[in-house]
Structures are given as structure tokens and as C-alpha cells.
Amino acid sequence: MYTLANWDGGGPGPWILFLPLIWAAVVAGVVTLLRRTVWRGPWRPVDRPTGDSPLAVLGRRFASGEIDEDEYWRRLSVLDEQFGRKGGAL
């Protein structure tokens, strides 16, 4: 009975060198897939104002329609001058 490793009686042959390369490609593909999907999950911290901070209140008021866009930007510039923002974006 012939096996793949001993097909012509000469041992495994040079094709055996490609097996580690194939496994490395499989592992790299799995890691890449996980990094692009699962590991990118929603648990990463986002620098958004929470609670009753002035920026959070201003954002909620703009989102609910209490103030218009011009008023939002005017008040946001005042808050930036007084308190500053981390990261430069909401």
C-alpha cells in the first residue's frame, strides 16, 4: 500500500516543506478574520461625553431638537473655550 509520504518509495519528498507554509497561511487568515470582525467589538472605549457633562447635555438638546445647528455650534465653541474637549471630537 502506498501512502502520500511514501508514494514512490523515496520518502516524503520536497512537498513536505509546503505544509508549514500552508498552516501559517491558515493561522494568518484566521487571525485577520478575527481582527476584522470579532475583536473589533463594541466594548472598545469611545471618547463620548456621558452623564450630565455640559457637552452631553448640549448634544442631547441638539439631538432632541431643542436647539438648532447654529445654536449648537455657538454653544459648543463657548464650551471649548471654557472646558476644552479631549480628542477634539464628540
Side-chain angles (χ1 to χ4, degrees), residues 14-29:
W15 65 269
I16 197 78
L17 298 176
F18 291 109
L19 283 179
L21 295 176
I22 292 170
W23 278 112
V26 168
V27 169

Side-chain angles (χ1 to χ4, degrees), residues 10-72:
W15 65 269
I16 197 78
L17 298 176
F18 291 109
L19 283 179
L21 295 176
I22 292 170
W23 278 112
V26 168
V27 169
V30 168
V31 168
T32 301
L33 180 69
L34 288 174
R35 287 187 69 186
R36 291 182 179 251
T37 58
V38 177
W39 291 341
R40 183 179 279 188
W43 56 85
R44 287 190 176 182
V46 178
D47 189 22
R48 292 188 182 156
T50 58
D52 291 331
S53 73
L55 291 175
V57 172
L58 181 63
R60 280 195 301 269
R61 289 187 64 198
F62 178 62
S64 68
E66 291 180 39
I67 58 175
D68 63 356
E69 185 177 359
D70 293 331
E71 182 72 12
Y72 172 79

